[in-house]
Amino acid sequence: MTVPVLSVRNLEVEFLTRRSTLRAINGVSFDIAKGEVLGVVGESGAGKSVTGLAVIGLIDPPGRIAGGEIYLSGTRIDHLPPEEIRRIRGKRIGMIFQDPLTSLNPLYRIGDQIVETIRTHLNLSETAARKRAIDLLAEVGIPAPEKRIDAYPHEFSGGMRQRVVIALAICAEPELIIADEPTTALDVSVQAQIISLIKRLGRDYGTAVMLVTHDMGVIAETSDRVAVMYSGRIAEIGPVQDVVQNPLHPYAKGLMGAIPTLAGEDKRLVQIPGSMPRLSAIPPGCSFNPRCAFAFDRCRVDRPEPLKHGSHAVACHLFDTAPGEAAKETAA
Ligand code: SF4
């Protein structure tokens, strides 16, 4: 069996506050294969960015990984000392954040930053690293890269800066890229270009990509599979076409109903009533139960675990053939 590039098993992340311990991620598991793009979608506060930060070892106190395991190409990385995980970041895991200026130092020419990253991780001379940097800038669509390499970040537009960040993220040939809302700050036309660039990473380099976004449209365009997160857990995960066209979890159904389509322009978009609970007020049982039109007694007591259902895995008692069977028929 092929080892996944990223394997997250039962991940738990908590934040210690003066009053209590808040569980931001509660038993999240998923894999990403070589060349695969996994979209992770959910409302703000669902835990998608925290999951990405846990993978790259950037959960800062008072947050901490409280349980579970994270494997990169079969090697466990969640308990490594900070020095080692820092070496893995940049070399084996590339990162793309919403604001390109998070990754770029405004005081240095972009070429110097890319060359330094290349030379930190790959055994190349200054000249060879500079040539590679120019090639990468061309690869991500920066015009006249041999000139632009000596420009400063502020001399680029937002879209061009995000391309530079992508060049920086891939320059050490990482196995995995974590992209957190990489297109959110960009104009729609630039978004499409960045999306096709991210798609190409998987296809051309075999890079596995974890794409975190609140935008289901971006996921539908980019991803092979999608994980829908709610209140720190995965509600549903499966091939993107299957989940978009036939979502099973009531929350995923609501989320997919909220994607505008050209065919249904005059149709009112579905709104999910209520809002996601705060971390300090997650209800017992299924955390979606106060908002769910299908909730029944068991939902208020038992927490549903993701179970295989066709090509999907879904954490909902409606799809559990054990004790919820009667309720399932009622709700269907
Ligand atoms: Fe709704 Fe119950 Fe399924 Fe949760 S487990 S989504 S409350 S039916």
Side-chain angles (χ1 to χ4, degrees):
M1 211 181 90
T2 329
V3 177
V5 173
L6 178 67
S7 183
V8 173
R9 304 264 70 93
N10 287 317
L11 180 66
E12 297 190 359
V13 175
E14 58 188 29
F15 289 86
L16 307 173
T17 70
R18 253 183 299 167
R19 288 205 192 133
S20 60
T21 300
L22 303 177
R23 184 66 50 98
I25 303 294
N26 195 352
V28 160
S29 300
F30 61 88
D31 292 338
I32 311 181
K34 191 173 159 61
E36 183 179 51
V37 180
L38 175 76
V40 181
V41 71
E43 291 167 81
S44 149
K48 48 196 197 307
S49 292
V50 176
T51 305
L53 290 173
V55 170
I56 53 182
L58 285 180
I59 301 279
D60 291 327
R64 64 178 194 115
I65 294 181
E69 292 149 27
I70 300 170
Y71 295 88
L72 182 65
S73 299
T75 305
R76 191 164 170 194
I77 59 166
D78 56 280
H79 60 341
L80 293 177
E83 258 319 298
E84 276 185 55
I85 189 76
R86 203 170 303 137
R87 263 200 296 276
I88 286 177
R89 277 199 306 268
K91 165 73 184 124
R92 297 181 62 194
I93 307 179
M95 293 159 292
I96 306 167
F97 294 113
Q98 177 175 340
D99 178 2
L101 293 178
T102 313
S103 313
L104 296 172
N105 187 327
L107 302 177
Y108 289 96
R109 296 180 205 295
I110 57 127
D112 294 343
Q113 300 184 48
I114 300 177
V115 167
E116 187 190 324
T117 308
I118 292 173
R119 296 201 67 204
T120 304
H121 298 297
L122 304 178
N123 187 19
L124 288 182
S125 69
E126 177 86 27
T127 314
R130 187 173 163 91
K131 178 169 181 323
R132 182 169 163 73
I134 293 171
D135 290 347
L136 281 166
L137 291 173
E139 170 85 32
V140 298
I142 303 282
E146 60 295 334
K147 291 203 182 84
R148 301 292 276 155
I149 189 168
D150 292 318
Y152 288 91
H154 72 267
E155 297 177 88
F156 289 81
S157 66
M160 285 294 160
R161 271 204 289 265
Q162 198 60 303
R163 287 171 191 264
V164 172
V165 169
I166 294 176
L168 197 60
I170 61 176
C171 69
E173 299 168 358
E175 294 143 71
L176 172 70
I177 296 228
I178 309 275
D180 191 344
E181 303 281 7
T183 62
T184 307
L186 306 175
D187 293 344
V188 175
S189 59
V190 182
Q191 275 187 11
Q193 295 162 10
I194 298 295
I195 284 171
S196 62
L197 194 53
I198 291 174
K199 254 163 107 169
R200 252 186 33 220
L201 296 179
R203 209 179 49 215
D204 296 355
Y205 293 92
T207 317
V209 180
M210 176 177 167
L211 173 67
V212 171
T213 176
H214 67 283
D215 187 335
M216 202 47 225
V218 169
I219 299 263
E221 283 289 320
T222 330
S223 306
D224 301 299
R225 283 189 308 134
V226 57
V228 178
M229 288 194 72
Y230 189 83
S231 279
R233 291 177 56 76
I234 291 181
E236 182 165 352
I237 184 167
V240 75
Q241 287 308 325
D242 298 358
V243 176
V244 168
Q245 282 162 17
N246 181 28
L248 300 176
H249 193 283
Y251 175 67
K253 272 191 201 293
L255 210 59
M256 303 313 151
I259 310 176
T261 62
L262 284 177
E265 273 168 333
D266 54 347
K267 204 178 78 183
R268 281 197 58 167
L269 296 180
V270 181
Q271 284 279 344
I272 308 171
S275 56
M276 199 166 59
R278 292 191 313 275
L279 290 184
S280 56
I282 294 179
C286 172
S287 54
F288 187 59
N289 85 69
R291 301 173 75 184
C292 181
F294 300 92
F296 53 98
D297 290 349
R298 186 181 174 200
C299 304
R300 294 179 252 282
V301 187
D302 276 359
R303 191 179 78 174
E305 297 301 329
L307 296 175
K308 196 105 182 86
H309 194 87
S311 62
H312 313 220
V314 56
C316 171
H317 294 313
L318 297 174
F319 298 92
D320 179 356
T321 47
E325 194 67 42
K328 172 179 159 182
E329 281 167 18
T330 317

